[in-house]
Amino acid sequence: MTEAAVALADEHGLEALTMRAVAERVGVGAMTLYGYVPGKSELLELMLDAVAGTTYEVGARPGDQDGWQGALRHIAERNYSHALAHGWSVEVPPGRPILGPGVCLKYEAELTPLDGIGLSDEAMDHVVSTVVNMATGAARWQLGLDRVRAASQLSDDRWWALSQPVLAAVMEGLQLPISTRVGNSIASAGDPHASLVAGVELLIAGLGSRPGPGL
């Protein structure tokens, strides 16, 4: 059931996920499905846990990397690519942590390379949560850009060329020296992956310069 629901969401998005559609995919009646799971919200939790459990199923794990710095980079990249592969997962509104085996095993794998480097338990949790949230946020941004680009049929360069004169007219008279300078330097719709990489490197630099244990 959960595997079928994940496949359905991967193929057609979260809007296609209904109890009836999942029931049809597994070849049972909708009422039969309700005998296994109370409703869609509970099904989503099962799906998120199942997907989390496959994050490091193939390839290297965070603890296999060269040092905690390499581990954080690996966590960021793997969560980013995994979120892109399961785009629906970043559309589910966040809430309380899901306490399933998949999520717990993933959390253990991501904490392991940070254990013993001088961080408190709370700080270790904050670091992992920050990197994972940065990665999923970047993936959500990238997926949004992909949808807009496909719908508009405009390249980013063309979009910027059309937007710039309108923006200049609307902003006339406003004193925005810093944002104008930075915006002109970037002059694009943004690069989610580049922002993720830069953010992780800044976090690593900050952790590397910490004064002592406990952050």
Side-chain angles (χ1 to χ4, degrees):
M1 175 188 65
T2 303
E3 185 178 342
V6 169
L8 179 64
D10 284 348
E11 293 167 16
H12 302 293
L14 200 59
E15 64 278 1
L17 184 73
T18 65
M19 297 293 282
R20 182 176 298 279
V22 175
E24 290 176 354
R25 181 161 288 222
V26 297
V28 300
M31 296 310 297
T32 300
L33 195 64
Y34 280 108
Y36 293 95
V37 60
K40 184 176 177 179
S41 60
E42 290 82 6
L43 178 60
L44 276 171
E45 289 195 0
L46 291 174
M47 293 166 61
L48 289 170
D49 185 67
V51 166
T54 64
T55 305
Y56 304 105
E57 192 173 59
V58 178
R61 299 170 67 80
D64 299 329
Q65 306 305 305
D66 183 18
W68 61 268
Q69 299 93 332
L72 291 184
R73 296 183 183 106
H74 185 67
I75 290 169
E77 291 293 341
R78 186 60 67 85
N79 277 273
Y80 178 73
S81 61
H82 204 60
L84 290 179
H86 303 284
W88 58 271
S89 66
V90 299
E91 297 177 14
V92 179
R96 290 193 177 112
I98 296 172
L99 304 178
V103 168
C104 291
L105 287 170
K106 176 178 181 290
Y107 185 52
E108 178 74 15
E110 292 169 343
L111 286 173
T112 296
L114 298 178
D115 193 31
I117 69 168
L119 297 177
S120 66
D121 288 350
E122 185 178 10
M124 288 166 56
D125 174 77
H126 288 329
V127 170
V128 167
S129 296
T130 297
V131 173
V132 171
N133 286 331
M134 288 167 64
T136 54
R140 186 182 301 110
W141 180 10
Q142 183 62 60
L143 290 165
L145 281 175
D146 291 343
R147 284 192 292 268
V148 169
R149 287 165 177 160
S152 69
Q153 298 184 339
L154 290 175
S155 68
D156 286 350
D157 288 342
R158 180 59 179 159
W159 166 80
W160 183 252
L162 292 172
S163 301
Q164 196 170 26
V166 177
L167 182 64
V170 172
M171 297 300 179
E172 185 177 2
L174 295 180
Q175 299 300 312
L176 305 168
I178 300 173
S179 58
T180 299
R181 187 189 76 231
V182 173
N184 287 333
S185 297
I186 298 172
S188 75
D191 186 335
H193 184 258
S195 293
L196 171 62
V197 171
V200 171
E201 292 304 321
L202 288 169
L203 177 62
I204 289 173
L207 288 171
S209 63
R210 68 191 189 281
L215 200 62

